[in-house]
């Protein structure tokens, strides 16, 4: 029996790859390839506010030096954001942009907060505009994000969304509908390299 498109058993797909090409062009290509594999072979467009869209599918993309990543699902809005690990004057930046409870002088913590806020903002369709940087993130997000199984957390101010970090060479956050029960992680340049993650908070990762 086929599940309806909005069933919680409908997965959220995340595809991450390294690239020596233009990472923006790579991300766009990944979106279209992933969409086609899910039965939505429509071209990628952007809304007037710059949000990526594919007919019949919720999508998000991110790219940084040497890395491209996309997220897609039929369940509802998604957001994804990646940042390279690097030294930053994070103490001053956190005091300027984050709520007092999130002030930090640790670059890893700062980047996890930043990517989570960006991913949630993308899922909401407005990025970091307005109060995006001060939006409260789940209290346990930072302590649980590198553990296995992965721990997805509901966003306190946006209860319809959950957010999780995917361990790897970059800091990568994904925001997705809180009703989702499975993340499918694709790595490399081909969709056949896959890990399935059951998500009922925690997210249980298993290979296939």
């Amino acid at each position: 029996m086929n599940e309806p498109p909005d069933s919680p058993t409908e997965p959220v797909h995340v595809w991450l790859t390294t690239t020596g090409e233009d990472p923006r062009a790579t991300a766009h290509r990944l979106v279209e390839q992933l969409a086609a594999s899910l039965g939505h072979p429509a071209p990628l467009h952007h809304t007037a506010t710059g949000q990526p869209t594919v007919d019949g599918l919720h999508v998000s993309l991110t790219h940084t030096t040497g890395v491209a990543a996309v997220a897609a699902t039929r369940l509802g809005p998604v957001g994804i954001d990646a940042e390279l690990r690097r030294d930053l004057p994070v103490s001053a930046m956190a005091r300027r942009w984050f709520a007092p409870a999130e002030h930090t002088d640790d670059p890893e913590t700062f980047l996890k907060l930043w990517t989570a806020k960006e991913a949630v903002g993308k899922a909401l369709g407005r990025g970091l505009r307005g109060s995006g940087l001060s939006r409260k993130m789940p209290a346990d997000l930072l302590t649980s994000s590198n553990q296995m199984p992965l721990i997805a957390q509901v966003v306190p101010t946006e209860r319809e969304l959950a957010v999780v970090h995917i361990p790897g060479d970059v800091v990568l956050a994904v925001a997705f509908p809180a009703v989702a029960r499975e993340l499918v992680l694709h790595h490399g340049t081909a969709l056949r390299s896959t890990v399935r993650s059951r998500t009922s908070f925690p997210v249980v990762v298993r290979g296939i």
Side-chain angles (χ1 to χ4, degrees):
M1 177 178 178
N2 292 329
E3 298 287 346
D6 59 351
S7 167
T9 60
E10 177 75 24
V12 177
H13 293 265
V14 176
W15 191 357
L16 172 67
T17 188
T18 56
T19 179
E21 304 173 0
D22 177 1
R24 182 176 184 273
T26 300
H28 285 200
R29 185 172 66 252
L30 292 183
V31 169
E32 295 188 342
Q33 288 179 315
L34 183 53
S37 76
L38 297 175
H40 296 272
L44 172 68
H45 298 290
H46 288 83
T47 67
T49 59
Q51 188 173 14
T53 180
V54 172
D55 291 344
L57 197 65
H58 299 275
V59 300
S60 182
L61 60 88
T62 185
H63 50 83
T64 186
T65 304
V67 174
V70 302
T73 186
R74 286 184 283 262
L75 267 182
V78 291
I80 189 168
D81 191 58
E83 290 285 345
L84 297 177
R85 290 182 171 88
R86 59 196 188 277
D87 289 330
L88 294 166
V90 296
S91 182
M93 294 166 71
R95 285 196 303 271
R96 177 180 178 184
W97 289 316
F98 293 170
E102 295 178 339
H103 287 179
T104 179
D105 57 6
D106 175 54
E108 181 80 2
T109 299
F110 179 88
L111 289 173
K112 286 180 177 178
L113 284 167
W114 184 284
T115 54
K117 291 170 187 284
E118 179 73 65
V120 171
K122 287 182 177 181
L124 294 171
R126 54 181 182 265
L128 294 175
R129 293 189 297 273
S131 59
L133 283 172
S134 62
R135 183 179 294 110
K136 185 179 180 181
M137 289 294 104
D140 296 333
L141 183 66
L142 302 177
T143 58
S144 64
S145 59
N146 282 330
Q147 297 175 1
M148 298 294 267
L150 301 179
I151 307 295
Q153 304 285 348
V154 173
V155 180
T157 59
E158 313 291 343
R159 303 295 296 179
E160 75 279 13
L161 292 175
V163 64
V164 68
H165 282 98
I166 308 298
D169 294 335
V170 296
V171 182
L172 179 68
V174 184
F176 55 91
V179 297
R181 291 296 174 263
E182 185 176 42
L183 260 66
V184 180
L185 309 178
H186 309 272
H187 299 277
T189 58
L191 283 170
R192 62 179 177 271
S193 178
T194 306
V195 173
R196 302 186 81 87
S197 307
R198 300 297 298 183
T199 77
S200 58
F201 310 97
V203 180
V204 180
V205 178
R206 58 186 177 86
I208 62 171

